[in-house]
Amino acid sequence: MTAKPHPLGRLLNYGRQYRQQIWQASAFSIINTILDLAPPWLVGVAVDILVQQQNSSIAKFGVKDVVQQFLVLSIVTVIIWVFESLSQYIYDRLWRNLAQNIQHNLRLEAYNHLQELELAYFEDSSTGGLMSILNDDINQLEDFLNGGANEIIQITTSLIILIGGALLMLPLSITIAAMLPMPFIVWGSLIYQNRLESRYADVRDKVGNLSARLANNISGITTIKSYTAEDYENGRLRAESDAYRKSNTKAIALSAAFIPVIRMLVLAGFTALLFMGGVAAYQGRISIGNYSVLLVLVQRLLWPLVSLGEIFDHYQRAMASTNRVMNLLDTPINITTGHIRLPIGKVRGEINLEHVTFAYNSGEVIISNLSLHIPAGKTIAIVGATGSGKSTLVKLLLRLYDITSGHITIDEIDIKELDLYDLRRSIGLVSQDVFLFHGTVAENIAYGSFDAKEDEIIKAAKIAEAHDFIMRLPQKYETIVGERGQKLSGGQRQRIAIARAVLKNPPILILDEATSAVDNETEAAIQRSLERITINRTTIAIAHRLSTIRGADCIYVMERGKLVESGTHEELLHKNGIYTNLWSVQSGLS
């Protein structure tokens, strides 16, 4: 089994498109670090002027007067300070904009990839977990890019400058003594990073579980209230939150121990330079100015090394999040679009299923060797007991799942060869489980037909018998329906869904229990509407209420994934089979 690359490598590989921005931000981080380390040098020059006077480093450029030397030093200081501030503004802006661009584009790319995945992926994943990846994990990455990346570059640059400066200004023995703790600091940081990696991976998993629980409970708040399950759900949420807290506590225990250990190593290096460098300066082996420069320079570098703990903390959080986001992006798209275009205006709507077999990932066969012909422009109905495979056929026609074997064709073209957009654009679905988006009534009717005009929306609503109740709403067509349409009744949501399909005007219409949530009076009204809109349109009606499909050109009866009966309503009644029994139960004859 091939090991997955390190998350940093995956991130860098993804960041190739931002290479220019990364180089620019990194360059100004380095420039800022160099300029930020200038004050110790300026202090050393100032000491050199006081001690050496006419023999100072500035005097070598022809400025012998001490006052003029300090004037030159002051001018250089102002210039360095101005450019240091300017470079900080530039790198800070570059890094922050880079972080915003990456998190924006990465979130969109991850979401777009998510939309391409088959329905089975969503059935195996929790909404809260996916929300955690698209929101929390990408935000963790943004936080790291905002500050952590710059700090790593600046510390590395400072380390190079310090080592180079020490080698030029100090005897080798003093340089080695001052720098001796650094390998231990780096080595300790790497060990710390490796141990922290697994702990933060667990933290991200736990926060995903917590997000899933919250999303699930908020969506099911009506059920929670109606079953007085508030205390029970508080307990379940407490358990998830406590697991997250304990996972974080383990990471914090290791994180908090890092800084005290590093401080001791820093103390050793600073003390060595303080003592050995001081003795060397006293003995005249190095100048007092150089000694002053290095004391301040080491102080400026070694103490920031203490922040490595916090940097690595942010780094490991970001890498754990990067792994989760990249794993999502690496999820293969199993249902790919075909290459044959079929403009909606050319769709006749003839559907053929030839020896179709389908099983979910569990291996259970849902559809078994099913063959079915639906002539263009005809209305057929499919009935059967719950679990017989009726709704699964709808998912197969829309290619929400791919069949295990056999062929499904539309107008004699295999749907696997059809462009997915064209395929799904040609089919209008009104399902039993109506989903309305948070927005206005008009926006929900026009969903999928985004350029529809107001009069077209109203016309579709009238056909769906929805116009009258919409006009009684507080803001009529501009009324906000609430999340999942919770401000409307089940029957009202159903009629808006039918209006949405009417407005889409597809050549193939699928009604999956389309009148299941309406009363008898509304059902009768909707049936009148459906009779009008199904004329010369291929229609597949899936129903439990047999009264709604009596007028179908052909009715198919399914049982355990197979077609067991077919015919018109009258023909099936004469067969005295499964359909006859269903009809007798629903009509009260048995």
Side-chain angles (χ1 to χ4, degrees), residues 306-326:
V306 174
S307 66
L308 276 176
E310 185 176 351
I311 293 172
F312 276 123
D313 188 82
H314 289 158
Y315 170 79
Q316 283 304 340
R317 287 179 183 268
M319 291 304 100
S321 294
T322 297
N323 251 343
R324 282 160 54 88
V325 176
M326 294 302 168

Side-chain angles (χ1 to χ4, degrees), residues 351 374 380-382 397 508-512 538-542:
I351 301 172
I374 304 173
I380 68 109
I382 301 175
L397 281 172
I508 300 170
L509 181 64
I510 299 177
L511 307 171
D512 187 3
T538 304
T539 305
I540 302 172
I542 295 172

Side-chain angles (χ1 to χ4, degrees), residues 289-309:
N290 286 346
Y291 175 60
S292 302
V293 169
L294 287 168
L295 268 184
V296 180
L297 199 60
V298 169
Q299 174 81 358
R300 293 286 295 273
L301 173 65
L302 289 180
W303 288 116
L305 286 177
V306 174
S307 66
L308 276 176

Side-chain angles (χ1 to χ4, degrees), residues 286-545:
I286 62 171
S287 70
I288 295 175
N290 286 346
Y291 175 60
S292 302
V293 169
L294 287 168
L295 268 184
V296 180
L297 199 60
V298 169
Q299 174 81 358
R300 293 286 295 273
L301 173 65
L302 289 180
W303 288 116
L305 286 177
V306 174
S307 66
L308 276 176
E310 185 176 351
I311 293 172
F312 276 123
D313 188 82
H314 289 158
Y315 170 79
Q316 283 304 340
R317 287 179 183 268
M319 291 304 100
S321 294
T322 297
N323 251 343
R324 282 160 54 88
V325 176
M326 294 302 168
N327 285 342
L328 171 59
L329 287 172
D330 289 344
T331 303
I333 298 172
N334 294 323
I335 296 180
T336 56
T337 186
H339 62 279
I340 299 177
R341 301 303 305 266
L342 185 62
I344 192 169
K346 295 183 178 180
V347 178
R348 293 183 290 108
E350 181 185 4
I351 301 172
N352 264 306
L353 289 82
E354 302 173 4
H355 306 293
V356 170
T357 297
F358 172 74
Y360 290 106
N361 291 334
S362 62
E364 180 185 0
V365 176
I366 305 299
I367 306 293
S368 178
N369 197 33
L370 185 145
S371 295
L372 174 64
H373 175 67
I374 304 173
K378 298 296 183 180
T379 296
I380 68 109
I382 301 175
V383 300
T386 300
S388 59
K390 305 184 302 297
S391 295
T392 300
L393 280 179
V394 175
K395 297 174 183 177
L396 296 179
L397 281 172
L398 285 163
R399 282 198 76 200
L400 300 177
Y401 293 93
D402 267 340
I403 59 178
T404 306
S405 63
H407 296 280
I408 299 177
T409 63
I410 292 179
D411 294 347
E412 300 180 355
I413 304 172
D414 194 310
I415 61 172
K416 289 185 178 181
E417 301 297 321
L418 280 174
D419 179 84
L420 265 178
Y421 176 85
D422 288 348
L423 169 66
R424 292 170 181 169
R425 182 68 186 86
S426 66
I427 299 174
L429 172 64
V430 181
S431 71
Q432 181 179 5
D433 183 20
V434 175
F435 189 95
L436 299 185
F437 294 88
H438 182 76
T440 67
V441 171
E443 287 170 344
N444 273 281
I445 293 175
Y447 194 82
S449 305
F450 303 108
D451 57 349
K453 296 180 174 57
E454 182 181 1
D455 59 336
E456 294 172 328
I457 294 172
I458 294 173
K459 181 180 178 182
K462 288 179 177 178
I463 292 174
E465 301 285 339
H467 179 72
D468 290 344
F469 89 77
I470 292 173
M471 295 305 291
R472 292 193 295 269
L473 295 175
Q475 280 79 43
K476 300 179 175 56
Y477 281 85
E478 295 305 310
T479 300
I480 300 295
V481 302
E483 191 172 356
R484 298 184 66 91
Q486 60 187 347
K487 292 185 178 182
L488 303 178
S489 70
Q492 289 172 334
R493 292 196 296 269
Q494 198 82 53
R495 281 179 278 178
I496 287 178
I498 293 172
R500 179 191 292 169
V502 170
L503 185 60
K504 185 180 181 181
N505 193 28
I508 300 170
L509 181 64
I510 299 177
L511 307 171
D512 187 3
E513 302 288 352
T515 60
S516 63
V518 299
D519 54 40
N520 291 334
E521 183 180 349
T522 305
E523 179 188 337
I526 292 176
Q527 282 301 123
R528 292 194 298 269
S529 301
L530 293 177
E531 287 173 5
R532 294 199 301 271
I533 65 173
T534 57
I535 295 174
N536 297 323
R537 189 192 310 268
T538 304
T539 305
I540 302 172
I542 295 172
H544 275 112
R545 296 185 187 178

Side-chain angles (χ1 to χ4, degrees), residues 241-260:
S241 184
D242 193 49
Y244 174 52
R245 178 182 64 83
K246 288 179 179 177
S247 182
N248 251 323
T249 300
K250 289 181 181 178
I252 291 169
L254 183 59
S255 173
F258 179 76
I259 291 179

